[in-house]
Amino acid sequence: MAYWWVTRPVDLAVTALLPIAINAFIPMAAMSSVIANYFSETIVLLFGSSILAVSMEKTGLDKRIAAKFLSVIGEKLRSQLVFWFLLSAFLSAILPNAVVCASITPIAVSMLRFAGEGDIRSSRIGSKLLLYIAYGVGVGGLFSPLGGAMNLVTVDYLQQVSGQEFMYWVWVIRFLPITAVLIISNIIFMLRDVKKQDALEESKEYFKQEYKKMSKMTKAEALSLILFLAATVLAFTRSFYQKILPDLKPAYVFIVCAILSFLITDKEHNRVLKWKEVQGKIVWDLIFVFAGGLAAGNLINGSGAADAIGSIVANMGLSGGIFTVFVILAVTVILSDVTSNTATASVALPIVISIVGGLGMNPIPWIFIATIGVNLSYCLPTSIRAIPVGYGLEPKYMLKEGWKLTVIVVVLMTVVSFLLLKFVPSFSTI
């Protein structure tokens, strides 16, 4: 699948169907569990957010938001990249990373279209911007347990090995230096080949004028904005209503708001959204590529491949030194690239605990170290990285940039993690 995604002998969505076809001939997991990935909660969430994105486009809200962002941030590519990267990182620290990426990417694409860079495949600026939104979401997701389901898996294992409740503020403190190094290194890498004069074609003043020219926000635009904000806020504040509405998870919040968006009417009381138009604008590639990655992870786990990798690592004669740190980080980063972050956490953490337990070491800092690798992946269009690919980012470009950043990050994180392990006693406690 990785080879096909990069070389593109067929469309991305077709490659995403391979797990079904292969599992039919070589059963590795229950077919029902493989098929379930193609309409999982995450896919429902992406489906709903795609409809809301179409709603913003049809009402003209996307152009209004794009013009506002461009008039404030300016046209310089460096400013744009840093802004979107930091915005993605900040939001994903307090919100599920899939929701953040699914919410921010269509807004960025709208801005790029407005600036004449809408053909992402042939746009260097567009490709870079979408790529670093995905990277920002991954880095930011590491900063708090709220960053994604993979972090909740980590919390569960920390509580199991310690026998006590894990406080979320402890996570923030432990990962603060790690996240700071990641943000700085990612930004330096991101800007290394961006010249000071590189910019979106139009000027900041032009976008200010365009924004001023726009008429007052229409009722349809306002309703589209309200539904988008409602879906986002409700998805992030689920803890407040979880007991009252236990089944209203973020995915279903987005679907509810997506359904309501079909009721929006224009001044002539005509419905703004009609299914025949909407289905042609939904980014189906995005949905299938994301699902295909989940399904591939299901086969990797079901076939025993993940356990085999764990056995290889366990037999490498690790002693708890810097090489052990490097191996755990490298393996978890690679696994995160070929499957979902959550699947990697579920597979890798018990293996890590088993390895360090056999060496008679405290598992807590090693769980933290493995979690770094679980959250970071840069090369392939699996997990959240499928979202920008669905909007036109070439997997070949993602791999070209990703492998270089992967090497840098693994080396940096090996050094930082080893220093924390050796010289910061609190890193080994909760």
Side-chain angles (χ1 to χ4, degrees), residues 234-302:
L234 287 171
F236 299 143
T237 57
R238 174 165 161 70
S239 58
F240 294 105
Y241 61 86
Q242 185 175 7
K243 292 183 179 179
I244 302 172
L245 297 168
D247 291 326
L248 191 61
K249 296 178 181 178
Y252 311 129
V253 167
F254 270 82
I255 279 295
V256 169
C257 290
I259 292 171
L260 292 175
S261 69
F262 282 91
L263 299 176
I264 297 174
T265 57
D266 58 20
K267 291 180 181 179
E268 288 74 37
H269 303 292
N270 297 315
R271 284 193 295 119
V272 173
L273 292 188
K274 294 181 180 178
W275 179 250
K276 284 188 177 180
E277 296 175 347
V278 171
Q279 68 178 352
K281 291 181 176 290
I282 290 176
V283 189
W284 297 107
D285 278 8
L286 152 66
I287 292 172
F288 278 104
V289 171
F290 201 110
L294 295 176
N298 193 255
L299 295 190
I300 288 170
N301 295 335

Side-chain angles (χ1 to χ4, degrees), residues 70 73-77 80 198-200 202-205 207:
L70 284 165
I73 306 163
E75 77 282 2
K76 294 296 183 183
L77 181 55
Q80 288 284 343
D198 286 349
L200 296 173
E202 307 293 348
S203 69
K204 180 177 180 178
E205 198 58 39
F207 292 118

